[in-house]
Amino acid sequence: MKFANSKLVLAVAMAFGLTAASLSSAQAAMSRAPQDNLFYATSTEPLGLDPALVDDNDSGNINCNIYESLLQFQDDNTDIEPCLAESWTISDDGLTYTFKLRQGVKFHDGTDFNAQAVKFNIDRQMPENMTPKMSYAPLVFGDVASTEVVDDYTIKITLKKQSTPFLRNMAMCFAAPIASPTALEKYNNNLMEHPVGTGPYKLVAWDRGQQLILTTNEDYWGDKPAIQNVIYRIMKETSARVVALNNGEVDIINGIDANVIDQIKNAGNLIYQDEGNNINYMVYNCRKDYITADPEVRRALAQAINVPELVDSLYKGYADYATTFFPTFMAGYDKDIKPIAYDPEAAKKTLAQKGVKELKILTYSNARYYNTVGGQVLAEAVQGYLDKVGVKATIDVYDWATFKSKLLTDAWDLSFMGWIGDNGDPDNFINILAADDPISNQGLWLNQEFIDLINKAVAMPDGAERAQVYQQAERVLNADVGVLPISHAQTLAAYRPNIKGKFTHPIGLNFFVNVTKE
């Protein structure tokens, strides 16, 4: 399998204005042995490569190999350990965190990583500086009051209030990663196409709609990756990705579902399968003047959909019916919550009384980690249930990037969204539904009791009492039908047997630094 042909490398170089050094890196990869090139096929192109400006898993999957944060998660869990910060202390009042930074680290552009760079990255995401695209900034840095450079390799971060998830937030791949201030100034505070981090890989080229090429950062401070180049192939169709894997054209694929697993196994390839830290859910538009802002309508629509049957039919045992928003293993999960039962007669009666005859569904076309059959298939299943209770639903389908934009600009009643936990903390998983911005909380369901509980729990120490507050929040969400939980997808990927080392982390991202190819 060749890495790429020279015409493609040259075309990419011309299209993106690559430097001679970047072009040289891409050409050098062509002459390497096959085990030096890892081909990863994904269903969806990333939105961009600036960790402060993206919130999608596809961007995170690439950024986690390019950038690093002050802290990182251990290989198999969400316990934190040092990364760009070697150590840290916390003041007695729990408000001031002082990080001692790793020395001798350089960004991909050759500039120095230091405390000034950390301050620059945090300050750009403070309320007075942040841009509308910085959807993760309030989650990661919302409790930050100030940053102070103590010396070149010591940074002090002071919070407005105690925040239990703060250290885990500092290990996330959204908002928290440290980008080169020099690059940010050069590219006008936007690295969506020009990522410059400190990570083990750096971008060589991005041929939109086709592939992204990463190559090893030869100046990386840590252990260098065994695989020299990672090539992300954009292949929207599941069938195409499966054929490419089985033919040996790619090494790893994502976005698989139950319908293709036997085909993959029969070709001698392997399945990565694990419990998923995610939620797939239906969003009600709760903005004023929308009929779905009425909680009785939301409840009736939930009664109209046989969610357990839908999950079994679509995911065939590779996703679990979501009785609550939280997965069963997360602190805050409440086994005693009773989800809304399927009751089409009650739904039909209420919807008729409320005058609900037509609804507009907005959805996405491609497979997602939390919804392996794709948004259109899920929307059509819901459409069928609604038809049985006398509601005609029309469906508008868009690619992921357009869909995200349409959620903010178009009229719609129902949509579908998902969440993959970033750091193992229940606050990170559920506080999106307490946000007053439509990027995080797409339906703008705003329940003050729920919001108060979320704000209370974030400052509580880990333990049973904190978990109970999240359980209370779950009960409020369930009673007011803020969203309709559908399923928790198992984490699935397929790979060739010569790929060794764990690449998929419980947070749903793929780190390639420890992967080898025989």
Side-chain angles (χ1 to χ4, degrees), residues 199-218:
Y201 286 100
K202 58 185 179 181
L203 181 71
V204 174
W206 184 353
D207 183 10
R208 285 196 176 274
Q210 300 297 319
Q211 65 182 2
L212 295 93
I213 304 172
L214 305 187
T215 195
T216 298
N217 171 17
E218 297 296 344

mmCIF file of all heavy atoms in Angstrom, residues 199-218:
data_model
loop_
_atom_site.group_PDB
_atom_site.id
_atom_site.type_symbol
_atom_site.label_atom_id
_atom_site.label_comp_id
_atom_site.label_asym_id
_atom_site.label_seq_id
_atom_site.Cartn_x
_atom_site.Cartn_y
_atom_site.Cartn_z
ATOM 1 N N GLY A 199 2.097 18.596 20.589
ATOM 2 C CA GLY A 199 1.857 17.160 20.634
ATOM 3 C C GLY A 199 2.787 16.324 19.785
ATOM 4 O O GLY A 199 3.642 16.840 19.057
ATOM 5 N N PRO A 200 2.602 15.001 19.848
ATOM 6 C CA PRO A 200 3.501 14.077 19.147
ATOM 7 C C PRO A 200 3.368 14.102 17.633
ATOM 8 O O PRO A 200 4.253 13.613 16.927
ATOM 9 C CB PRO A 200 3.106 12.705 19.710
ATOM 10 C CG PRO A 200 1.696 12.876 20.189
ATOM 11 C CD PRO A 200 1.604 14.285 20.673
ATOM 12 N N TYR A 201 2.257 14.655 17.124
ATOM 13 C CA TYR A 201 2.076 14.754 15.674
ATOM 14 C C TYR A 201 1.791 16.201 15.283
ATOM 15 O O TYR A 201 1.294 16.997 16.092
ATOM 16 C CB TYR A 201 0.916 13.872 15.212
ATOM 17 C CG TYR A 201 1.230 12.394 15.201
ATOM 18 C CD1 TYR A 201 0.815 11.577 16.247
ATOM 19 C CD2 TYR A 201 1.933 11.816 14.152
ATOM 20 C CE1 TYR A 201 1.099 10.220 16.250
ATOM 21 C CE2 TYR A 201 2.218 10.460 14.140
ATOM 22 C CZ TYR A 201 1.797 9.665 15.190
ATOM 23 O OH TYR A 201 2.088 8.319 15.183
ATOM 24 N N LYS A 202 2.106 16.522 14.031
ATOM 25 C CA LYS A 202 1.799 17.848 13.499
ATOM 26 C C LYS A 202 1.190 17.690 12.102
ATOM 27 O O LYS A 202 1.431 16.699 11.405
ATOM 28 C CB LYS A 202 3.052 18.718 13.444
ATOM 29 C CG LYS A 202 4.199 18.155 12.623
ATOM 30 C CD LYS A 202 5.439 19.031 12.737
ATOM 31 C CE LYS A 202 6.597 18.455 11.930
ATOM 32 N NZ LYS A 202 7.820 19.300 12.056
ATOM 33 N N LEU A 203 0.408 18.681 11.699
ATOM 34 C CA LEU A 203 -0.278 18.630 10.410
ATOM 35 C C LEU A 203 0.692 18.883 9.264
ATOM 36 O O LEU A 203 1.500 19.810 9.318
ATOM 37 C CB LEU A 203 -1.402 19.671 10.366
ATOM 38 C CG LEU A 203 -2.231 19.707 9.073
ATOM 39 C CD1 LEU A 203 -3.121 18.479 8.972
ATOM 40 C CD2 LEU A 203 -3.072 20.977 9.009
ATOM 41 N N VAL A 204 0.591 18.031 8.238
ATOM 42 C CA VAL A 204 1.335 18.242 6.997
ATOM 43 C C VAL A 204 0.425 18.863 5.950
ATOM 44 O O VAL A 204 0.770 19.841 5.294
ATOM 45 C CB VAL A 204 1.913 16.917 6.456
ATOM 46 C CG1 VAL A 204 2.554 17.137 5.092
ATOM 47 C CG2 VAL A 204 2.918 16.345 7.425
ATOM 48 N N ALA A 205 -0.776 18.292 5.781
ATOM 49 C CA ALA A 205 -1.675 18.782 4.741
ATOM 50 C C ALA A 205 -3.107 18.384 5.051
ATOM 51 O O ALA A 205 -3.356 17.376 5.720
ATOM 52 C CB ALA A 205 -1.262 18.218 3.374
ATOM 53 N N TRP A 206 -4.033 19.180 4.532
ATOM 54 C CA TRP A 206 -5.469 18.892 4.639
ATOM 55 C C TRP A 206 -6.078 19.075 3.258
ATOM 56 O O TRP A 206 -6.223 20.188 2.777
ATOM 57 C CB TRP A 206 -6.101 19.835 5.657
ATOM 58 C CG TRP A 206 -7.566 19.569 5.940
ATOM 59 C CD1 TRP A 206 -8.395 18.694 5.317
ATOM 60 C CD2 TRP A 206 -8.350 20.209 6.952
ATOM 61 N NE1 TRP A 206 -9.657 18.732 5.859
ATOM 62 C CE2 TRP A 206 -9.652 19.656 6.866
ATOM 63 C CE3 TRP A 206 -8.090 21.192 7.907
ATOM 64 C CZ2 TRP A 206 -10.693 20.079 7.715
ATOM 65 C CZ3 TRP A 206 -9.113 21.599 8.738
ATOM 66 C CH2 TRP A 206 -10.399 21.045 8.650
ATOM 67 N N ASP A 207 -6.403 17.985 2.635
ATOM 68 C CA ASP A 207 -7.066 17.980 1.336
ATOM 69 C C ASP A 207 -8.555 17.810 1.615
ATOM 70 O O ASP A 207 -9.046 16.703 1.821
ATOM 71 C CB ASP A 207 -6.525 16.830 0.487
ATOM 72 C CG ASP A 207 -7.113 16.813 -0.911
ATOM 73 O OD1 ASP A 207 -7.795 17.788 -1.275
ATOM 74 O OD2 ASP A 207 -6.909 15.814 -1.626
ATOM 75 N N ARG A 208 -9.289 18.906 1.637
ATOM 76 C CA ARG A 208 -10.677 18.888 2.120
ATOM 77 C C ARG A 208 -11.547 17.881 1.371
ATOM 78 O O ARG A 208 -11.505 17.787 0.153
ATOM 79 C CB ARG A 208 -11.299 20.279 2.029
ATOM 80 C CG ARG A 208 -10.785 21.213 3.121
ATOM 81 C CD ARG A 208 -11.665 22.433 3.276
ATOM 82 N NE ARG A 208 -11.208 23.260 4.384
ATOM 83 C CZ ARG A 208 -11.569 23.070 5.647
ATOM 84 N NH1 ARG A 208 -12.407 22.091 5.947
ATOM 85 N NH2 ARG A 208 -11.125 23.868 6.598
ATOM 86 N N GLY A 209 -12.312 17.152 2.175
ATOM 87 C CA GLY A 209 -13.188 16.135 1.621
ATOM 88 C C GLY A 209 -12.488 14.835 1.309
ATOM 89 O O GLY A 209 -13.148 13.850 0.968
ATOM 90 N N GLN A 210 -11.159 14.805 1.430
ATOM 91 C CA GLN A 210 -10.387 13.621 1.068
ATOM 92 C C GLN A 210 -9.580 13.066 2.242
ATOM 93 O O GLN A 210 -9.815 11.954 2.695
ATOM 94 C CB GLN A 210 -9.450 13.957 -0.099
ATOM 95 C CG GLN A 210 -10.146 14.417 -1.362
ATOM 96 C CD GLN A 210 -11.056 13.341 -1.950
ATOM 97 O OE1 GLN A 210 -10.692 12.157 -1.973
ATOM 98 N NE2 GLN A 210 -12.224 13.742 -2.421
ATOM 99 N N GLN A 211 -8.644 13.848 2.764
ATOM 100 C CA GLN A 211 -7.771 13.322 3.804
ATOM 101 C C GLN A 211 -7.019 14.429 4.528
ATOM 102 O O GLN A 211 -6.896 15.554 4.027
ATOM 103 C CB GLN A 211 -6.772 12.328 3.229
ATOM 104 C CG GLN A 211 -5.770 12.919 2.252
ATOM 105 C CD GLN A 211 -4.840 11.865 1.681
ATOM 106 O OE1 GLN A 211 -4.948 10.682 1.976
ATOM 107 N NE2 GLN A 211 -3.904 12.291 0.857
ATOM 108 N N LEU A 212 -6.548 14.091 5.723
ATOM 109 C CA LEU A 212 -5.609 14.925 6.467
ATOM 110 C C LEU A 212 -4.370 14.078 6.737
ATOM 111 O O LEU A 212 -4.484 12.880 7.010
ATOM 112 C CB LEU A 212 -6.189 15.398 7.797
ATOM 113 C CG LEU A 212 -7.381 16.337 7.758
ATOM 114 C CD1 LEU A 212 -8.681 15.531 7.839
ATOM 115 C CD2 LEU A 212 -7.321 17.349 8.899
ATOM 116 N N ILE A 213 -3.214 14.687 6.657
ATOM 117 C CA ILE A 213 -1.956 13.968 6.867
ATOM 118 C C ILE A 213 -1.232 14.564 8.069
ATOM 119 O O ILE A 213 -0.950 15.774 8.097
ATOM 120 C CB ILE A 213 -1.047 14.061 5.626
ATOM 121 C CG1 ILE A 213 -1.768 13.552 4.384
ATOM 122 C CG2 ILE A 213 0.247 13.291 5.863
ATOM 123 C CD1 ILE A 213 -1.013 13.795 3.085
ATOM 124 N N LEU A 214 -0.946 13.722 9.052
ATOM 125 C CA LEU A 214 -0.125 14.123 10.192
ATOM 126 C C LEU A 214 1.203 13.381 10.111
ATOM 127 O O LEU A 214 1.249 12.238 9.660
ATOM 128 C CB LEU A 214 -0.807 13.766 11.517
ATOM 129 C CG LEU A 214 -2.217 14.274 11.789
ATOM 130 C CD1 LEU A 214 -2.619 13.937 13.226
ATOM 131 C CD2 LEU A 214 -2.341 15.754 11.528
ATOM 132 N N THR A 215 2.246 14.024 10.582
ATOM 133 C CA THR A 215 3.536 13.366 10.652
ATOM 134 C C THR A 215 4.148 13.618 12.030
ATOM 135 O O THR A 215 3.744 14.534 12.749
ATOM 136 C CB THR A 215 4.492 13.852 9.542
ATOM 137 O OG1 THR A 215 5.593 12.948 9.441
ATOM 138 C CG2 THR A 215 5.016 15.253 9.812
ATOM 139 N N THR A 216 5.103 12.806 12.401
ATOM 140 C CA THR A 216 5.699 12.882 13.730
ATOM 141 C C THR A 216 6.378 14.228 13.972
ATOM 142 O O THR A 216 7.068 14.753 13.093
ATOM 143 C CB THR A 216 6.733 11.755 13.904
ATOM 144 O OG1 THR A 216 6.071 10.494 13.786
ATOM 145 C CG2 THR A 216 7.397 11.830 15.265
ATOM 146 N N ASN A 217 6.167 14.746 15.173
ATOM 147 C CA ASN A 217 6.881 15.935 15.634
ATOM 148 C C ASN A 217 8.255 15.486 16.114
ATOM 149 O O ASN A 217 8.388 14.900 17.191
ATOM 150 C CB ASN A 217 6.082 16.591 16.773
ATOM 151 C CG ASN A 217 6.843 17.699 17.468
ATOM 152 O OD1 ASN A 217 7.827 18.215 16.956
ATOM 153 N ND2 ASN A 217 6.363 18.067 18.652
ATOM 154 N N GLU A 218 9.260 15.727 15.312
ATOM 155 C CA GLU A 218 10.608 15.227 15.611
ATOM 156 C C GLU A 218 11.201 15.884 16.861
ATOM 157 O O GLU A 218 12.154 15.363 17.440
ATOM 158 C CB GLU A 218 11.530 15.436 14.410
ATOM 159 C CG GLU A 218 11.122 14.662 13.159
ATOM 160 C CD GLU A 218 11.179 13.145 13.340
ATOM 161 O OE1 GLU A 218 11.811 12.688 14.312
ATOM 162 O OE2 GLU A 218 10.593 12.433 12.507
#
